[in-house]
Amino acid sequence: MSGKGNHKDLQGNHACALGAIAAGCKFFAGYPITPSSEITERMSVELPANDGIFIQMEDEIASMGAVIGASMGGVKSMTATSGPGFSLKQENIGYAAGAEIPCVIVNVMRGGPSTGMPTRPAQGDLMQARWGTHGDHQVIVLTPDSVPEIFTETIRAFNLSEALRVPVIILFDEILGHLVETVEIPNPDTLDLKTRKFAKGPREDFKPYGETKDMVPPMARPGDGYRTHTTGLTHWEDGFPTQIPAQVERMTHRLSGKMIKHRQIIESWEAIDCEDAEIIICTIGISARAARQALKPARKKGIKVGLFRPITLWPFPEQAFKDVTKSAHTILIPEMNGGQLILEIQRLCGDAVRLVGLNRMDGEPIEPEEIETRIKELAKIG
Amino acid sequence: MTEQSSPQTVKFYQTGTRTVGNRLLDETGRSVQASTKRANAITSGHRACQGCGEALGARYALDAAMNACNSQLVAVNATGCLEVFTTPYPETSWQIPWIHSLFGNAPAVATGVAAAYRVKGRKDIRVVAQGGDGSTTDIGFGCLSGMFERNDDVLYICYDNEAYMNTGVQRSSATPPRARTATTQAVGDAPGNVFGTGKNLPQIAMAHNIPYVATASVADLNDLEAKVKKATAIRGARYIHIMVPCPLGWGSVACDTIRLARLAIESGLFPLYEAEHGAVTNVKKIRRQVPVVDYLKLQRRFAHLFKKGAEDTDSITAIQHMADFNIKKFNLVGIKEEKTK
C-alpha cells in the first residue's frame, strides 16, 4: 500500500517528529516518558541529519528551558512529553507565554493523575493544557484525531507559534501516538511555512514588545545588534519590568488581544452532517474517531445526528460551534475524562440545549458502539 | 549471541558461593540470603527480565538492610524498572512498607518519612530510598543533593544500569561513552553516546561530605551486603551506588550479567570503594587488570565499535584510558599473585 512515492506508514509519534522536521524545527530537547518517547527517539536521529540539534536533557523542566533558550536564539524549537512531564513544564510554559517566545510542546496523554497509567490512553489534560500554568496567559492547543492530521497539525503548530509568538500545545493520546496510518509526506516546496518577524531598522527605535498593527512585535535574536531585555516579570514595551497599572493593563491586553485578532487563522474545526442535526456529538481526538464510526448506523436508523470536532481546542472555536449547533436540541460530549470539554460547552450553551456527557476514565477508549447506543437512547427521549 | 559467552574459567582463589550450603565459609561470612531468617524484602514472582541485575541487587541490598535494622525498614522508591516489575497490579513483591513516589522526588519523600519518625521518636525505624540511574543522576539529582546537604537520615541506593531501561533504553547521564541507546543511535560520525565526562554520582556524593558513600556490584554480593549493613548502622545521609547490568539495554545474554559486572570491576571501569566524610577509606583491590575490550565485546550496545574492518580503535582506546585513570586514581591493582600450584 505504501512505501511508494511520498506515502509513509507511520505511527502518530513518528508523524509528529516528521511534521516538526517538515515545519523547519531545528532544535528539540526532551526527556524519556511513555507514551511519547518515540517522538524524542525519532528526533534524535532526524535532527542531526537535517542540520539541527537534538539534546536529551536531565529532566522535563530543563527540556522546556532549553527549548525556550533555543527559540530566543532564533531557531524553531519543540519538546514532547506526557502528563507528569507536562506538569513539570508548566512554569516554563508560562514564561514562554509571558515573554512571548514561540515554541511547540507535544503532550501525548496517558491516564492520570500522577504517574497514573503510563501505557494507557486518556484525555484528562484538556483543562491543564489551557490553564496549567499560573496567571492569565494565552496558549493555543491543537487536538488532531488521526496520524495524517498529527503531521499537518504539527506543521500548523509551528506556523501559529511563529506567527503569533505564543506557545502551541499539541494534544493527542497514547492510542494516536502508537497508531500506524498512512501519511502523505508533501513536497517541502509546497508547504506554506511561517517564520517569526525579526527586528529591522535602527537600533534606537527598536522596542522588543512595542505596539504593532498585528499586535505581534518582531523579535531580535541575541547577536543581531539590538539591545534586548527578556524577563518573566511583567514588562513594558522596552522589555523592562513595570508595575505601573496602565502599562501592565495594556501589556496583558495585548497578549489576549493578539489571540482575538488572529482568531481566523487559529481556529480550526470539522463539522460532519450537522446541517439538519438534532443531536450533535462534540468531541476531540481518538473519541472523535469513535464518534465518526457511530454516525452512519445512527443516520441509517433515521436519527438526525452530526459531529462537531474542534481541531483547535483552545481558544475554542466559539462562533463556529454556535452556528453549527443551531438546530440541535441535544449535544453529546464523549470524552476520556470525568467531564472537561463539557464545561466549555456548558459555558457556551447555558440551558438552551440538553448536554449529555459520555465519560470513560478506565484506560480504555470509548467504543463506537457506546456512542451509537447513547445516540439511540437520546433520540428516543427526543 | 551464544558464542560471546564462553564457559566461566575456574579461579583458584575462589572460596565458592557464599550462599546456602557452603561449608568452606564460617557462618558469619555467609550471605544474608543463606540464613533461614532472611527477610525476603522482595519476594519472587516479580516481572523482571531474565538476568536482571537490578532485581538481584535490590534483593540483596534490601535484605541486608532488613537484617541490620531488625526488619524495621521503610522503602521509598522512585519511578523506574524496579518499581514497575515488582508491582504489577494487583500484586506486589514488597514485604515491607513501600512508597512509590514520582520519578524525581524519592530523596525528598524519604526526607519527609525520616522526619516523621523523628517527630514520633522512633529511632528504631530506618528509611531507605532507591532509584535507578535516571532518577538518581538526572531528574532527581536536585532532591538528592538537598538530602545530602541537610544530612537527612536516609540511605539512598542507586541501581545503575546506565540508561532509562523502563521507557525503552534512552541515554542517561550515567550512560557510558559510545553506548548505543534509543536516543544515541549508532549512526553518524560519532555513533552512540557522547564522549563527555559523565556524571560520577559517588564522587559528587562524597563532595557533600556525607557520613558514608560506597560503590558496590552484583558481582560481589558479599561486599555489597557488608556495605549495606555498615551504611544502615550509620545516622545521617548515606549513598550506595550499585552497578546492575541490564541484558535488555546492554544487548548482552542473560547468563552474562554477573560476568559483565565482574569485568566492569576488573577492567577498572567501575571501582569498588567506600568513603566516609568525603575521604576514601577503603578500596577493593583487583588481582589483575582486564582490558576493556573483554567487557565491551560482550555487549551489543558497543557492537558498532567492533565492525569488521572498521574498528573504532580511537573510542576503544579512550575507554581504556578511562579505566586506566580509575586504576591509577584508586590504586586498584595491588594484590600479590598467589601461587596456584
Side-chain angles (χ1 to χ4, degrees):
Chain A
M1 194 173 98
S2 81
K4 274 183 192 172
N6 49 6
H7 286 77
K8 276 184 183 171
D9 285 348
L10 294 170
Q11 60 158 276
N13 283 340
H14 286 175
C16 181
L18 293 185
I21 297 291
C25 173
K26 295 290 178 206
F27 180 78
F28 184 100
Y31 188 72
I33 185 164
T34 307
S36 79
S37 295
E38 292 86 358
I39 301 175
T40 306
E41 290 169 9
R42 188 77 190 234
M43 288 307 260
S44 80
V45 177
E46 295 290 343
L47 269 176
N50 286 281
D51 307 317
I53 286 180
F54 164 88
I55 304 179
Q56 188 186 318
M57 298 296 286
E58 69 271 28
D59 60 31
E60 297 283 3
I61 299 173
S63 304
M64 193 60 220
V67 163
I68 288 171
S71 183
M72 284 168 78
V75 167
K76 291 185 185 179
S77 308
M78 177 170 103
T79 184
T81 187
S82 184
F86 194 52
S87 295
L88 286 166
K89 291 185 194 301
Q90 290 299 337
E91 191 190 9
N92 276 274
I93 294 173
Y95 176 83
E100 296 178 78
I101 296 161
C103 54
V104 175
I105 303 111
V106 186
N107 175 4
V108 187
M109 290 182 284
R110 68 192 216 186
S114 190
T115 311
M117 291 177 288
T119 58
R120 293 274 174 190
Q123 296 179 323
D125 307 347
L126 271 51
M127 284 297 173
Q128 187 196 19
R130 178 63 192 90
W131 294 116
T133 192
H134 61 274
D136 271 300
H137 64 277
Q138 299 297 329
V139 291
I140 295 171
V141 181
L142 308 177
T143 49
D145 80 335
S146 71
V147 177
E149 200 172 270
I150 288 175
F151 182 86
T152 52
E153 284 300 292
T154 305
I155 296 173
R156 201 165 76 92
F158 275 96
N159 282 348
L160 289 173
S161 175
E162 291 287 317
L164 303 175
R165 289 187 64 178
V166 66
V168 178
I169 294 155
I170 307 172
L171 271 190
F172 51 95
D173 64 281
E174 183 275 332
I175 300 177
L176 284 168
H178 292 145
L179 182 71
V180 175
E181 291 183 288
T182 306
V183 180
E184 188 187 343
I185 309 285
N187 182 341
D189 304 332
T190 64
L191 289 172
D192 178 22
L193 300 182
K194 301 266 187 299
T195 306
R196 69 194 77 164
K197 284 181 292 175
F198 287 110
K200 278 184 220 156
R203 288 176 209 188
E204 310 78 59
D205 301 344
F206 176 64
K207 284 184 181 147
Y209 296 98
E211 296 274 346
T212 56
K213 220 175 172 188
D214 63 354
M215 299 176 100
V216 186
M219 273 182 93
R221 285 166 291 204
D224 276 359
Y226 294 93
R227 171 123 196 234
T228 57
H229 183 98
T230 313
T231 172
L233 290 160
T234 303
H235 42 269
W236 184 228
E237 291 181 336
D238 51 12
F240 293 111
T242 178
Q243 292 188 33
I244 300 166
Q247 292 185 349
V248 174
E249 174 86 0
R250 260 178 77 190
M251 173 72 199
T252 42
H253 270 271
R254 187 175 60 71
L255 288 184
S256 52
K258 71 177 177 185
M259 302 291 278
I260 296 164
K261 193 178 176 80
H262 296 280
R263 239 166 209 261
Q264 277 212 307
I265 62 158
I266 298 171
E267 288 180 358
S268 174
W269 70 90
E270 186 187 16
I272 304 170
D273 296 345
C274 286
E275 296 77 18
D276 62 339
E278 291 167 354
I279 300 171
I280 285 183
I281 311 166
C282 180
T283 183
I284 56 141
I286 195 70
S287 301
R289 294 288 286 273
R292 223 184 268 267
Q293 289 286 314
L295 286 181
K296 232 183 209 173
R299 278 270 169 186
K300 263 189 188 164
K301 286 251 156 54
I303 304 167
K304 289 180 177 171
V305 60
L307 168 68
F308 180 82
R309 177 173 75 90
I311 301 171
T312 305
L313 177 64
W314 308 115
F316 195 82
E318 287 182 25
Q319 199 50 52
F321 175 80
K322 281 180 183 164
D323 293 346
V324 164
T325 55
K326 253 180 211 160
S327 61
H329 59 65
T330 302
I331 296 172
L332 174 65
I333 303 121
E335 43 185 335
M336 289 154 67
N337 58 47
Q340 299 187 12
L341 183 57
I342 198 169
L343 298 175
E344 179 70 2
I345 310 296
Q346 249 161 11
R347 181 181 77 80
L348 294 172
C349 298
D351 297 330
V353 291
R354 179 174 53 168
L355 301 183
V356 183
L358 200 171
N359 307 87
R360 266 192 103 147
M361 292 186 286
D362 57 356
E364 293 290 337
I366 297 170
E367 303 281 348
E369 293 73 24
E370 286 176 74
I371 298 175
E372 198 188 320
T373 313
R374 203 78 189 95
I375 294 169
K376 284 178 192 162
E377 284 168 14
L378 292 169
K380 255 184 222 164
I381 305 164
Chain B
M1 274 301 299
T2 38
E3 74 263 10
Q4 291 179 338
S5 161
S6 55
Q8 190 175 338
T9 46
V10 176
K11 289 174 186 164
F12 291 97
Y13 58 85
Q14 279 186 331
T15 48
T17 167
R18 291 175 195 272
T19 52
V20 191
N22 182 8
R23 283 168 294 176
L24 294 172
L25 277 175
D26 181 69
E27 207 169 319
T28 54
R30 287 180 202 167
S31 163
V32 170
Q33 299 296 325
S35 164
T36 50
K37 288 183 204 155
R38 70 174 180 219
N40 273 338
I42 312 167
T43 53
S44 58
H46 55 66
R47 312 289 205 270
C49 307
Q50 193 180 28
C52 174
E54 188 173 32
L56 182 69
R59 181 161 73 99
Y60 272 72
L62 275 260
D63 275 3
M66 289 280 275
N67 208 38
C69 69
N70 199 23
S71 297
Q72 297 293 79
L73 190 70
V74 177
V76 178
N77 212 121
T79 303
C81 272
L82 182 63
E83 168 252 324
V84 169
F85 75 65
T86 56
T87 56
Y89 180 83
E91 298 161 9
T92 178
S93 290
W94 298 93
Q95 305 296 306
I96 53 173
W98 182 85
I99 305 162
H100 166 227
S101 50
L102 295 174
F103 205 178
N105 70 349
V109 171
T111 290
V113 173
Y117 286 119
R118 206 171 70 211
V119 169
K120 290 179 165 187
R122 292 292 300 269
K123 281 190 174 171
D124 55 326
I125 296 173
R126 311 296 283 138
V127 180
V128 61
Q130 48 189 350
D133 51 294
S135 62
T136 307
T137 67
D138 285 339
I139 195 167
F141 181 64
C143 286
L144 184 64
S145 179
M147 189 199 101
F148 289 159
E149 180 268 325
R150 295 182 302 267
N151 199 23
D152 294 323
D153 191 18
V154 176
L155 166 60
Y156 191 97
I157 302 175
C158 169
Y159 303 103
D160 180 7
N161 55 19
E162 302 186 336
Y164 290 85
M165 303 312 182
N166 183 38
T167 48
V169 199
Q170 294 88 6
R171 80 169 284 263
S172 79
S173 53
T175 303
R178 290 288 165 267
R180 177 264 166 211
T181 69
T183 48
T184 57
Q185 296 285 354
V187 292
D189 306 332
N193 193 28
V194 288
F195 240 110
T197 50
K199 205 185 269 187
N200 193 330
L201 234 286
Q203 298 278 301
I204 295 169
M206 279 170 65
H208 290 77
N209 285 348
I210 55 173
Y212 187 75
V213 174
T215 59
S217 167
V218 286
D220 195 340
L221 293 164
N222 201 52
D223 176 69
L224 187 157
E225 284 183 336
K227 285 168 176 169
V228 172
K229 189 182 167 189
K230 190 169 175 183
T232 308
I234 298 169
R235 297 269 158 187
R238 292 139 288 149
Y239 180 76
I240 298 182
H241 192 101
I242 303 175
M243 187 195 227
V244 290
C246 169
L248 176 85
W250 294 16
S252 57
V253 286
C255 62
D256 271 349
T257 294
I258 303 299
R259 187 195 313 279
L260 281 167
R262 187 182 298 127
L263 286 169
I265 299 166
E266 292 181 347
S267 61
L269 285 171
F270 191 78
L272 293 182
Y273 61 91
E274 291 174 284
E276 288 171 40
H277 299 286
V280 175
T281 52
N282 182 32
V283 172
K284 185 105 184 164
K285 299 262 185 183
I286 51 180
R287 188 160 272 278
R288 66 180 79 81
Q289 192 188 0
V290 172
V292 291
V293 176
D294 294 6
Y295 170 71
L296 301 175
K297 268 195 169 168
L298 292 175
Q299 306 170 53
R300 273 206 316 281
R301 62 175 172 161
F302 294 113
H304 56 277
L305 301 181
F306 300 100
K307 260 189 202 157
K308 264 189 188 154
E311 278 206 1
D312 187 353
T313 44
D314 289 352
S315 293
I316 297 167
T317 311
I319 296 169
Q320 184 63 54
H321 282 163
M322 288 166 58
D324 296 344
F325 176 82
N326 284 339
I327 296 275
K328 208 173 161 193
K329 180 177 177 183
F330 292 97
N331 193 19
L332 288 172
V333 183
I335 301 174
K336 279 181 193 166
E337 285 289 321
E338 276 174 36
K339 281 178 188 167
T340 51
K341 278 178 190 174

